[in-house]
Amino acid sequence: MRIGICCFPSFGGSGVVASELALALAEGGDTVHVVSSTRPPRLLQAPGVHHHAVDGAGILEYGLFDHPPYTLALANALAQVVRDAGLDVLHVHYAAPHAVAALLARQMLADDPAGSPACPIVTTVHGTDVTLVGADPNYRDIVAWAVRGSDLVTAPSHALGREVAERFSLEDPVEVIPNFLPPAASETSHPAPAGGLQIVHVSNFRPVKRVADVVGAFARVRRLLPARLCLVGDGPDRPAVELQCRDLGIEEHVAFLGNQARVEPILEQSDLFLSASESESFGLAALEALALGVPVVATRTGGVPEVVCDDRNGLLCAVGDTEALAAGCVALLGDPSRRLAFAAHGRQWARSSRFDRGRVVARYREAYRATLTLGGAAAARADRALGGLPDDPLQGKVEA
Ligand code: GMT
């Protein structure tokens, strides 16, 4: 098949899932075209994957726009790639702006006098595109339009699948295809032992990750155990978290490692993975930790309980309960035999068929094939959706 993939070039999350999927599909013989603003980090060395960079910023030189209209440049690029590469299917990751741009591209091609065979659109929602962007009144209707107009919607967890179906009143079922374990995530790199007890947290330091709770919980742990905390990733909350560490007097026990192309060597040197997210559709970093035998202490939210088995390979607590997060860390760090049992369970669970790369990629291929027979049904739905969006079922009635 000729498959187009559109994603963010991010170090984690949807960008990683999309990149790893592109690599696996290309490895299996499909022709893969990735469209993103820059080459995603995991595709820097991927000769089998064609990359198309989208640069909407050049237009700023005219002085007309305050911000580059990236979605328009992306729609333009997607239409070109669909037409020139003769794509069979276009798979977009994250609804906004990717699904919106894909629907615009489809409309452009439908009106193209040269004609172009209809290319189905598969949208994978990843979490905040539904829970944050999709809930924002400034974006809700256009995200709903794009999701409803996609030929197939997939979600990495049942929790997010339910939420997107309910929030956007989808007519067709959402297909739940879990994220898979990237091949390198289960390879042991045998780094030098770090010594002592190490807790690791990996995120993009956005408010939804509640990194302040991670640090708050860690400060409580420090009162009882001589542990250190490794913070991997970068984002808007990092300066505040650095300040918080200084205020709490724990800065010498906390390492800020920034974005890392590969987190496995750091995970392997760690005894515990700690996450305090407000919401989390899946939690890929937690899965990667489990695969390397690192138990998880996390908040019970969204799809996390589908990835972390409470009291088997991790401990789950309520969002915002830093005391419980700290107690979970102390319970596992202070009990090596329980920690080892959790580590063994996690390794087996994360490497089970449920998260197996070959199996998950085969499910995506089946999903793509199924959309080939759908024709213009979704396009018609999208046009109808423009005319009358349902009231937001999760937010109450919309004023007439
Ligand atoms: O975690 C983030 O904020 C990044 C975000 C993304 O879209 O890149 O991650 C989301 O997608 C990942 C891959 O499916 C999931 O593992 C994360 O749980 C999900 N994040 C949230 O739902 C907050």
Side-chain angles (χ1 to χ4, degrees):
M1 264 190 284
R2 284 163 303 212
I3 301 160
I5 289 187
C6 173
C7 64
F8 292 121
S10 53
F11 277 91
S14 57
V16 164
V17 172
S19 302
E20 293 287 350
L21 178 60
L23 288 169
L25 290 166
E27 219 178 274
D30 293 305
T31 305
V32 183
H33 292 262
V34 171
V35 183
S36 57
S37 56
T38 56
R39 217 174 231 279
R42 296 211 181 188
L43 296 180
L44 290 176
Q45 309 288 330
V49 175
H50 307 272
H51 182 256
H52 306 263
V54 183
D55 179 11
I59 197 107
L60 290 182
E61 284 164 20
Y62 294 136
L64 181 64
F65 297 108
D66 290 335
H67 308 286
Y70 177 74
T71 308
L72 302 186
L74 180 60
N76 200 72
L78 289 174
Q80 283 171 359
V81 175
V82 168
R83 187 186 52 219
D84 299 346
L87 295 187
D88 296 310
V89 63
L90 177 57
H91 184 179
V92 297
H93 291 260
Y94 212 84
H98 300 152
V100 174
L103 262 71
L104 290 175
R106 178 168 67 193
Q107 193 61 50
M108 287 166 69
L109 291 169
D111 294 344
D112 184 348
S116 177
C119 174
I121 296 168
V122 176
T123 294
T124 294
V125 290
H126 279 275
T128 44
D129 46 356
V130 175
T131 58
L132 293 182
V133 188
D136 183 325
N138 296 296
Y139 295 97
R140 176 194 157 240
D141 292 356
I142 197 160
V143 173
W145 170 71
V147 170
R148 287 167 63 83
S150 301
D151 294 283
L152 177 71
V153 180
T154 85
S157 61
H158 291 279
L160 184 61
R162 278 192 297 273
E163 176 146 12
V164 68
E166 200 179 330
R167 189 178 281 280
F168 300 140
S169 306
L170 299 186
E171 286 172 16
D172 294 326
V174 173
E175 185 149 348
V176 175
I177 304 183
N179 292 332
F180 57 93
L181 196 62
S186 49
E187 281 165 18
T188 329
S189 59
H190 304 295
L197 293 171
Q198 180 165 298
I199 299 176
V200 65
H201 168 79
V202 182
S203 80
N204 50 27
F205 284 64
R206 297 208 186 111
V208 72
K209 301 293 175 180
R210 298 182 69 107
V211 188
D213 285 3
V214 169
V215 169
F218 173 70
R220 288 172 183 271
V221 172
R222 276 291 312 171
R223 291 181 205 149
L224 299 165
L225 291 170
R228 67 177 167 280
L229 176 66
C230 272
L231 296 172
V232 180
D234 211 341
D237 282 355
R238 181 168 162 177
V241 169
E242 284 176 347
L243 196 64
Q244 182 191 9
C245 290
R246 282 198 291 278
D247 287 348
L248 289 167
I250 54 169
E251 70 269 36
E252 63 183 290
H253 308 295
V254 182
F256 287 83
L257 302 183
N259 283 327
Q260 301 284 327
R262 289 282 168 198
V263 292
E264 295 83 14
I266 304 161
L267 290 174
E268 273 187 283
Q269 288 186 316
S270 303
D271 301 286
L272 201 69
F273 181 97
L274 178 58
S275 165
S277 300
E278 174 95 35
S279 74
E280 201 70 71
S281 75
F282 185 86
L284 189 59
L287 182 70
E288 291 180 335
L290 292 174
L292 289 169
V294 183
V296 173
V297 173
T299 39
R300 189 182 293 103
T301 180
V304 172
E306 297 173 46
V307 176
V308 179
C309 308
D310 195 17
D311 209 21
R312 291 285 182 83
N313 54 40
L315 294 173
L316 300 180
C317 321
V319 173
D321 192 345
T322 51
E323 206 177 320
L325 286 170
C329 293
V330 171
L332 290 178
L333 291 177
D335 184 347
S337 61
R338 190 174 181 206
R339 198 168 76 234
L340 280 177
F342 274 40
H345 185 284
R347 216 179 269 118
Q348 217 177 1
W349 165 253
R351 295 166 191 230
S352 66
S353 60
R354 188 185 179 100
F355 307 112
D356 177 70
R357 182 190 195 231
R359 190 164 167 262
V360 173
V361 172
R363 286 194 59 194
Y364 275 117
R365 275 207 188 89
E366 276 166 33
Y368 297 158
R369 283 199 201 95
T371 61
L372 296 180
T373 58
L374 288 176
R381 267 207 313 277
D383 293 344
R384 279 207 310 277
L386 256 185
L389 278 168
D391 291 334
D392 183 345
L394 299 183
Q395 305 251 314
K397 296 281 178 194
V398 175
E399 293 292 314

